[in-house]
Amino acid sequence: MLFFYFFTSVPLPDAIGATPTVILDTNGVEVGTLQADASREDIELDNLPEHVVQAVLAAEDAAFYEHRGVSFVGIFRAALRNVTAGEISQGGSTISQQYVKNITTDKERSVLRKVREAALAVKLEQNFSKDQIMEFYLNSIYWGRGAYGIEAAAKAYFDKPANKLTRGQAALLAGVIAAPSAYDPADNPQAARQRYGYVLNQMVDKGWIDPAKAGSLSARPPRTRRAKGVVFKRAPFFLQMVKKELENDIARRKNFSADDIYQGLVVTTTLDVRMQDKAEAAYRESFIDSGIKPSAALVAVDNASGGIRALVGGKNYGRSQLNLAVGRGRQPGSTFKPFALAAWIAENKSPESYFEGPSQIEFSASEINDKLGRRQTTESWKVSNYELADYGDLSLREATWKSVNTVYAQLVLDVDPEDMRQMAEDAGIKRNLDAVPSLVLGTEEVTPVEMTEAYSTFATGGTRHKAHTVQEVRRDGDAIYRAKRRGDDALTESVALNVTDVLRGVLTQGTGVAASIIDRPAAGKTGTTQSNGDAWFVGYTPQLTATVWMGNVKNNQPMEGEFTGGSVPAATWGAFMRDAMEGMEVRDFPAPPGGLEVVNPQPSEEPCGEGEIRSEPSDGSSEGLCIPDPEETESPSPSPSPSPSPSPKPTKKPKPPPEPPQEPEPEPTEPPKPKPSKPPPEEPTEDVVDGG
C-alpha cells in the first residue's frame, strides 16, 4: 500500500471518454459502430441540483463526506461476504475508490487491485476536497449506453441536461451506476424499478426526502428514452444482436465487461455482407414489394461454425426494433416433426417402416398412458389430416414428404414425447418444452434462430454449433475473445444423415417443392400452424442452413390468404439460398448408413405362406402377388404328357399415379398454458390438424 501511495500518481478525468467500437463483417468490411448515446461533457458540481448528489450518495456511498477515502467498515463487511462465498464477489468501495478504479480502467478482481485502489483513494482525499472528488466522480463514472459523466447520462436517458434532472430521474440514474447493463430500464425494467426503489428508501433514511414523496415517486418511475448505442450502415437487426451478445455473453468472460463495449474495440462478426444483401433482396421481393401484410424473418447460419451469415428481423427497423428472428418465439408446426423422426431412427428403426394414414385418428387417455407406460393425460387426443385426406398405408418417408399428421401422431407415441423433446434440445432448441404428444405437431413456441441452429445439426452429421454473431474481439490490437470453433457431438451420424436423406424428398416430391429452385442438393421441411397463423420453411445444404418464417406479430392472428410453409416461405428460402450460394462449391450429403430395422413392412411385401413365392409385377407397379411355387408343385404322373398352357400371372389393378403433394392444413393449436409439475400436462381434446 505504501508503494502505491508514494510511487503512483492519481489520474484526473480529463481524458476519460468513449471511443466508438468498430464492427466488421467476417471479411473485414465495416458494417457499423457502437458508440455513446451522448458525448461526455463536464459539469461543475455547483450547477447540479442538490438532489442529484444526494441520490448518488444514497446509492453508492452515503458516508462519503465522513470517511477519509477508505471505509474500513465497508471493506470488513465485503471481506466477510467474500470469505463466505469463497471468492471475491463484492467490493467495499467508496466513491473515491470507484473513481480510481474507473479512471484507471483496472477491472481485475484481486486483493492487489483493492490495495492499489485504497492507496490511491487515500492520496486522492489528501490532495483534493470532497466536493472536487465528487465532481471528478460524477463527470467520469460510466452510466451505461456509452455515457460517461452525469451530463451525457442525462441526455442518453432523458434527453435533457443534468441540471434539469428531477428527483425521480436522479434516483433512477443513481441506481444504474452499480451495474449499467443490468439496471437499464429499457432492457431490465423490473430490476431497474427495484434498484430505483432502493435508492429512494436510502434517501428517506438519510432524511433527504420525506416518505410520502418517496412513495409517490416510487409508484411512478420516470420514463426513459429508447437506447441507441448502435450506429449501423446495414443489417440493423444483426447489429442489435451483436450488442446484446457482447453485453450479455462475452462480457462475463475474464478481462472484459459490458462497460468496455464502447471503448474503441474492434469486433469482427460472423456476418457476410454479400449474403446479407441477398437476404435483404429476397426478403424485400417477397414481403415488402409484394404488398404482403404479414411480417417475416430470415436467418442463415454457417454449418461449419454456427456463425450467423445473414439476418433480417423485420420489415422496417426504424419503425419497430422487435427482432422477429430471436423474439419470444412462434409455433413451428410441422417443422418440428423431424425431431420425432430422429428419435425413431435413434431406436434403429427405418423410415421405410409403414403406417396407416387414415383421415382421422383418436387415442383415448388410457391408450396414450398405456403406450407411454405412465400417466400422461386424462383426456383423449384426436388428430386429423388436411381436408380429411386418407393416405392409406404409406412409409414414414412418404408421410414426412406429405406431412401426414395421423402417421406422426402414431409415431410420437411409439418413440415417447420425452425422447422427441430431448432430441430437439440436443439439436439446438433451448426452450423448456412440454413433452406431450401434441408437441410433434409444433404446438410450443421456438424462434427462427433456434430452428436454424437445430436443423444445422442435421446438416453437419450430428455436430451442434451454437448460433452466434461475434467471431473475435480485439482491444489495442490484442485478441481478448475468440468464438469457439469446435462443435459439440449432439446426434449420432446415423440419425443426422438418415433424417437428411428423408428431408431431401420434401423439396423434390413433397410439400417444399417451391424451394427446389436452389438447384443443388438440399433438405428441409415446411410448417404451417392454426388457420395459417405461422408459416415456416427450414432447410439446408451441406454448407448453409436457413429459415424463413412469416406471420402476424400482433396477437398471433391468422394471416389473410392461402399462406403455408410450402408457399411464400419455401419460395423465398429457395431464392435466397440460390443467390447466396452462387459460386460456392456444389456439395452432396454423405450417404446415410444402413442397417435400420423395418418395423412395419409394406403390407404387400409381407412374407408369403409356405409353398408360395412372390410373382413379378405384371403391371409396372412395385408389388407382386403370392403364388404357388412351381418347383414344389407335384406332377400328376411321371409319364410324359403335353405341356399345359401356362396360366396367366395373377395381376393387380394398376395403381393410379400419385397426386401432386399438397401443403397440409395447419393445426388448431391450443393456447399457451402453464407448465405444472404435478399433475403432468394434459393433451388437447380438440381436433389437431397438421401444419405441414
Coordinates of all heavy atoms in Angstrom, one line a residue, residues 4-12 64 67-69 96 99-100 118-134 136:
F4 N 2.3 1.9 -3.6 CA 1.4 2.5 -4.5 C 1.1 4.0 -4.1 O 1.0 4.8 -4.9 CB 0.0 1.8 -4.5 CG 0.0 0.5 -5.2 CD1 -0.4 -0.7 -4.6 CD2 0.5 0.4 -6.5 CE1 -0.4 -1.9 -5.2 CE2 0.5 -0.8 -7.2 CZ 0.1 -2.0 -6.6
Y5 N 1.1 4.2 -2.8 CA 0.9 5.6 -2.3 C 2.0 6.5 -2.8 O 1.7 7.7 -3.2 CB 0.8 5.6 -0.8 CG 0.5 7.0 -0.2 CD1 -0.8 7.4 -0.1 CD2 1.5 7.8 0.2 CE1 -1.1 8.7 0.5 CE2 1.3 9.1 0.7 CZ -0.1 9.5 0.8 OH -0.3 10.7 1.4
F6 N 3.2 6.1 -2.7 CA 4.4 7.0 -3.0 C 4.8 7.0 -4.4 O 5.4 8.0 -4.9 CB 5.6 6.7 -2.1 CG 5.4 7.1 -0.6 CD1 5.2 6.1 0.4 CD2 5.4 8.4 -0.3 CE1 5.1 6.5 1.7 CE2 5.2 8.8 1.0 CZ 5.1 7.9 2.0
F7 N 4.5 5.9 -5.1 CA 5.1 5.8 -6.5 C 4.0 5.8 -7.6 O 4.4 5.6 -8.8 CB 6.0 4.5 -6.6 CG 7.2 4.6 -5.7 CD1 7.2 4.0 -4.5 CD2 8.3 5.3 -6.1 CE1 8.3 4.0 -3.7 CE2 9.4 5.4 -5.4 CZ 9.5 4.7 -4.1
T8 N 2.8 6.0 -7.3 CA 1.7 6.1 -8.3 C 1.0 7.4 -8.2 O 0.6 7.8 -7.1 CB 0.7 4.9 -8.1 OG1 1.5 3.7 -8.0 CG2 -0.2 4.8 -9.3
S9 N 0.8 8.0 -9.3 CA 0.1 9.3 -9.3 C -1.4 9.1 -9.4 O -1.9 8.1 -10.0 CB 0.6 10.2 -10.5 OG 0.4 9.6 -11.7
V10 N -2.2 10.1 -9.0 CA -3.6 10.0 -9.1 C -4.1 10.5 -10.4 O -3.8 11.7 -10.8 CB -4.3 10.8 -7.9 CG1 -5.8 10.8 -8.1 CG2 -3.9 10.3 -6.6
P11 N -4.7 9.7 -11.2 CA -5.2 10.2 -12.6 C -6.4 11.1 -12.4 O -7.2 11.0 -11.5 CB -5.6 8.9 -13.3 CG -5.9 7.9 -12.2 CD -5.1 8.3 -11.0
L12 N -6.5 12.1 -13.4 CA -7.6 13.0 -13.4 C -8.5 12.6 -14.6 O -8.1 11.9 -15.5 CB -7.1 14.4 -13.6 CG -6.2 14.9 -12.4 CD1 -5.7 16.4 -12.7 CD2 -7.0 14.9 -11.1
F64 N -19.8 9.2 2.3 CA -18.7 9.8 1.6 C -18.1 11.0 2.3 O -16.8 11.1 2.4 CB -19.1 10.2 0.2 CG -18.1 10.9 -0.6 CD1 -17.0 10.4 -1.1 CD2 -18.4 12.3 -0.9 CE1 -16.0 11.1 -1.8 CE2 -17.4 13.0 -1.6 CZ -16.3 12.4 -2.1
H67 N -15.8 9.8 5.7 CA -14.6 8.9 5.8 C -13.5 9.6 5.0 O -13.6 10.7 4.4 CB -14.9 7.5 5.2 CG -15.3 7.5 3.8 ND1 -14.5 7.9 2.7 CD2 -16.5 7.1 3.2 CE1 -15.1 7.8 1.6 NE2 -16.3 7.3 1.8
R68 N -12.3 9.0 5.1 CA -11.1 9.5 4.5 C -10.7 8.9 3.2 O -9.5 8.8 2.9 CB -9.9 9.3 5.5 CG -10.1 10.1 6.8 CD -9.7 11.6 6.6 NE -9.8 12.3 7.9 CZ -9.3 13.6 8.0 NH1 -8.7 14.1 7.0 NH2 -9.4 14.2 9.1
G69 N -11.6 8.4 2.5 CA -11.3 7.7 1.2 C -11.5 6.3 1.2 O -11.7 5.6 0.2
S96 N -14.5 7.4 -3.7 CA -13.1 7.7 -4.1 C -12.4 6.4 -4.7 O -11.7 6.6 -5.7 CB -12.3 8.1 -2.8 OG -12.8 9.2 -2.3
Y99 N -13.8 5.9 -8.2 CA -13.2 6.8 -9.2 C -11.9 6.3 -9.6 O -11.6 6.3 -10.8 CB -13.1 8.2 -8.5 CG -12.3 9.1 -9.4 CD1 -12.7 9.7 -10.5 CD2 -10.9 9.4 -9.0 CE1 -12.0 10.5 -11.3 CE2 -10.1 10.2 -9.7 CZ -10.6 10.8 -10.9 OH -9.9 11.6 -11.7
V100 N -11.0 5.9 -8.7 CA -9.7 5.4 -9.1 C -9.8 4.2 -10.0 O -9.1 4.1 -11.0 CB -8.9 5.0 -7.8 CG1 -7.7 4.2 -8.2 CG2 -8.6 6.3 -7.0
A118 N -7.2 1.5 -2.7 CA -7.2 2.1 -1.3 C -6.1 3.1 -1.2 O -6.3 4.2 -0.7 CB -7.1 1.0 -0.3
A119 N -4.9 2.8 -1.6 CA -3.8 3.7 -1.5 C -4.0 5.0 -2.3 O -3.8 6.1 -1.8 CB -2.5 3.0 -2.0
L120 N -4.5 4.8 -3.6 CA -4.7 6.0 -4.4 C -5.9 6.8 -3.9 O -6.0 8.0 -4.1 CB -4.9 5.6 -5.8 CG -3.6 5.0 -6.5 CD1 -3.9 4.7 -8.0 CD2 -2.5 6.1 -6.5
A121 N -6.9 6.1 -3.3 CA -8.1 6.8 -2.8 C -7.7 7.7 -1.6 O -8.1 8.9 -1.5 CB -9.1 5.8 -2.3
V122 N -6.8 7.2 -0.7 CA -6.3 8.0 0.4 C -5.5 9.2 -0.1 O -5.6 10.3 0.3 CB -5.4 7.1 1.3 CG1 -4.7 8.0 2.4 CG2 -6.3 6.1 2.0
K123 N -4.6 8.9 -1.1 CA -3.9 10.0 -1.7 C -4.8 11.1 -2.4 O -4.5 12.3 -2.3 CB -2.9 9.4 -2.7 CG -1.8 10.4 -3.2 CD -0.8 9.6 -4.0 CE 0.4 10.6 -4.4 NZ 1.4 9.8 -5.2
L124 N -5.8 10.6 -3.0 CA -6.8 11.5 -3.7 C -7.4 12.4 -2.6 O -7.6 13.6 -2.9 CB -7.9 10.6 -4.4 CG -9.0 11.4 -5.1 CD1 -8.4 12.0 -6.4 CD2 -10.1 10.4 -5.5
E125 N -7.8 11.8 -1.5 CA -8.5 12.6 -0.5 C -7.6 13.6 0.1 O -8.0 14.7 0.6 CB -9.0 11.6 0.6 CG -10.1 10.6 0.2 CD -11.5 11.1 0.5 OE1 -11.6 12.2 1.1 OE2 -12.4 10.5 0.0
Q126 N -6.3 13.4 0.2 CA -5.3 14.3 0.8 C -5.0 15.5 -0.2 O -4.5 16.5 0.2 CB -4.1 13.6 1.2 CG -4.3 12.6 2.4 CD -3.0 11.9 2.8 OE1 -2.0 11.9 2.1 NE2 -3.0 11.4 4.0
N127 N -5.2 15.3 -1.5 CA -4.9 16.3 -2.5 C -6.1 17.1 -3.0 O -5.9 18.2 -3.6 CB -4.2 15.6 -3.7 CG -2.7 15.2 -3.3 OD1 -1.8 16.0 -3.4 ND2 -2.6 13.9 -3.0
F128 N -7.2 16.6 -2.8 CA -8.4 17.3 -3.3 C -9.5 17.3 -2.2 O -9.6 16.4 -1.4 CB -8.9 16.6 -4.6 CG -8.0 16.6 -5.7 CD1 -7.1 15.5 -5.9 CD2 -7.8 17.6 -6.5 CE1 -6.2 15.4 -6.9 CE2 -6.9 17.6 -7.6 CZ -6.1 16.5 -7.8
S129 N -10.4 18.3 -2.3 CA -11.5 18.4 -1.4 C -12.6 17.4 -1.8 O -12.6 16.8 -2.9 CB -12.1 19.8 -1.4 OG -12.8 20.0 -2.7
K130 N -13.5 17.2 -0.8 CA -14.6 16.2 -1.1 C -15.4 16.6 -2.3 O -15.8 15.8 -3.1 CB -15.5 16.1 0.2 CG -14.9 15.3 1.3 CD -14.8 13.8 1.0 CE -14.4 13.0 2.2 NZ -14.4 11.5 1.9
D131 N -15.7 17.9 -2.4 CA -16.6 18.4 -3.5 C -15.8 18.2 -4.8 O -16.4 17.9 -5.8 CB -16.9 19.9 -3.3 CG -18.0 20.1 -2.3 OD1 -18.6 19.1 -1.9 OD2 -18.3 21.2 -1.9
Q132 N -14.5 18.4 -4.8 CA -13.8 18.2 -6.0 C -13.8 16.7 -6.5 O -14.0 16.4 -7.6 CB -12.3 18.6 -5.9 CG -12.1 20.1 -5.9 CD -10.6 20.5 -5.6 OE1 -10.0 20.1 -4.6 NE2 -10.1 21.3 -6.5
I133 N -13.6 15.8 -5.5 CA -13.7 14.4 -5.8 C -15.0 14.0 -6.3 O -15.2 13.2 -7.3 CB -13.3 13.6 -4.5 CG1 -11.8 13.9 -4.1 CG2 -13.5 12.1 -4.8 CD1 -11.5 13.3 -2.8
M134 N -16.1 14.5 -5.7 CA -17.5 14.2 -6.1 C -17.7 14.7 -7.6 O -18.3 14.0 -8.4 CB -18.5 14.9 -5.2 CG -19.9 14.7 -5.6 SD -20.4 13.0 -5.8 CE -20.5 12.4 -4.1
F136 N -15.2 15.1 -9.8 CA -14.5 14.1 -10.7 C -15.3 12.9 -10.9 O -15.4 12.4 -12.1 CB -13.2 13.7 -10.0 CG -12.1 14.8 -9.8 CD1 -11.1 14.7 -9.0 CD2 -12.2 16.0 -10.6 CE1 -10.1 15.7 -8.9 CE2 -11.2 17.0 -10.5 CZ -10.2 16.8 -9.6

